[in-house]
Amino acid sequence: MTDTPLKLLIDRLRPLMKGTRSLGKFLADLVDCGLVENPKFTNRTALELRAVTTWKGYANGSDPLGEDIASELAGRWDIYTFSDNVIDAYSEDAVIALVPTLSLVDSAVNKANVGERLGLIFHTIFKDAAGYENVRLPNALNTAIAAADASGAPYIDSKTNKLRIVDQAVNLPPKPTVPDEIQENELVYIRALVHAYCEAASTLGHEPEIEDIPKRFAQHFQDQRKAFYSAEWVKETSWDCIENGSALFDQFLETMLQGVIDTNLSSYPSERERLLATLSQAVKVQLDRMKLAQIIDLIDVWSRKGSCHELVSQDKLGWSA
């Protein structure tokens, strides 16, 4: 793979913008943010112009951005449209977070114009690939990446392929307090938990509620909410740790899934037994080769159990037969 200007830019944008979707989709969505109609071109969306796998190749440097596609992108690009759309898609705070990195590439970047200046960088890259004359690419993209790597955030050292946190230990942020009220992002795993605790009631045609949880499992239920928020804390703490186009938190979840799935799929007399057996197995899953596990005090018993609830929320794990 080649460190093309586009690859270098995406390498930094993706973690800073918390782009955890597929690499090709992430780039295609960014491109769509800046495209406007032009009678000289087909006016198709990014994914209508090229397949998601092709956009992935552009993003990771395995495929050069061809002159034809670059010409259409350059001809249809509007930096102000890009700025408005990218802020709508990723939030103003996420775009403003790009300022320290992009200011190393473009000294004119500030909080008020970061969306427009990012759009201008994309436009310059497209024009260069299209063969426009007198186009000067930002020559500080490598510098920007090096500076971002030295910022203190966990990142993957491309030379050693290992996780680094600069040369010193970095204090992890405090874990969040579990909110009293159930939040919207909890609804799926909470529903599964309640059903497991109250399986007998559900078989009688009554859809159980939190109030129906047997008293002996009330604390266990609260503990599972704590576990979920512990996993959410790991996700938030490691959001800018990306390797080979994949968030390390997603790799953690996949490792946990493979570590508990056989236990989860075994036969049990009740959903509750399946839940308890799976949580017990989650504590035992080997994470020695997980790069995220190299960060001291990041992954613990709580976040391991919480990963199961994250997987339930993603419909990759469950407690029913």
Side-chain angles (χ1 to χ4, degrees), residues 185-225:
N185 65 332
E186 295 185 80
L187 295 179
V188 175
Y189 88 87
I190 290 287
R191 189 178 301 113
L193 276 174
V194 172
H195 199 277
Y197 293 135
C198 309
E199 185 175 4
S202 64
T203 59
L204 297 176
H206 167 61
E207 188 61 32
E209 304 291 341
I210 292 175
E211 295 75 15
D212 296 321
I213 296 175
K215 185 176 180 179
R216 63 189 293 250
F217 285 102
Q219 185 58 53
H220 188 270
F221 171 69
Q222 295 301 328
D223 287 345
Q224 299 322 299
R225 293 194 67 213

Side-chain angles (χ1 to χ4, degrees), residues 83-151:
S83 178
D84 290 343
N85 288 337
V86 82
I87 289 173
D88 286 344
Y90 293 95
S91 83
E92 187 172 11
D93 289 342
V95 175
I96 288 176
L98 304 176
V99 171
T101 293
L102 294 183
S103 63
L104 297 169
V105 179
D106 179 355
S107 60
V109 169
N110 57 51
K111 290 183 179 180
N113 68 9
V114 59
E116 296 168 13
R117 303 303 293 189
L118 177 58
L120 181 60
I121 292 172
F122 270 112
H123 199 196
T124 305
I125 289 173
F126 298 151
K127 289 191 293 184
D128 177 69
Y132 282 43
E133 296 182 0
N134 301 319
V135 175
R136 296 187 62 184
L137 279 172
N139 58 10
L141 280 170
N142 277 309
T143 303
I145 290 177
D149 286 346
S151 66

Side-chain angles (χ1 to χ4, degrees), residues 15-81:
L16 290 171
M17 298 173 79
K18 304 187 180 183
T20 57
R21 70 195 67 159
S22 75
L23 183 59
K25 185 68 163 54
F26 176 67
L27 175 55
D29 286 349
L30 280 178
V31 167
D32 277 334
C33 286
L35 294 182
V36 296
E37 292 189 0
N38 185 322
K40 295 181 180 180
F41 300 101
T42 62
N43 297 321
R44 292 179 293 176
T45 66
L47 289 179
E48 289 173 338
L49 288 168
R50 295 290 187 274
V52 68
T53 52
T54 304
W55 287 108
K56 178 181 179 180
Y58 297 153
N60 65 24
S62 61
D63 293 322
L65 191 63
E67 185 172 335
D68 290 345
I69 181 68
S71 295
E72 175 154 356
L73 299 181
R76 294 177 55 196
W77 196 258
D78 184 84
I79 63 174
Y80 302 105
T81 299

Side-chain angles (χ1 to χ4, degrees), residues 253-266 268 274 277-286 304-305 307-308 311 316-319:
L253 288 187
E254 179 61 26
T255 299
M256 292 301 299
L257 176 61
Q258 296 308 315
V260 304
I261 192 63
D262 290 345
T263 299
N264 184 257
L265 292 176
S266 295
Y268 297 94
R274 187 186 309 278
T278 304
L279 293 177
S280 179
Q281 176 61 25
V283 178
K284 305 173 187 176
V285 175
Q286 293 296 317
R304 284 168 169 268
K305 291 184 177 182
S307 71
C308 294
L311 291 165
K316 295 180 178 179
L317 206 64
W319 315 128

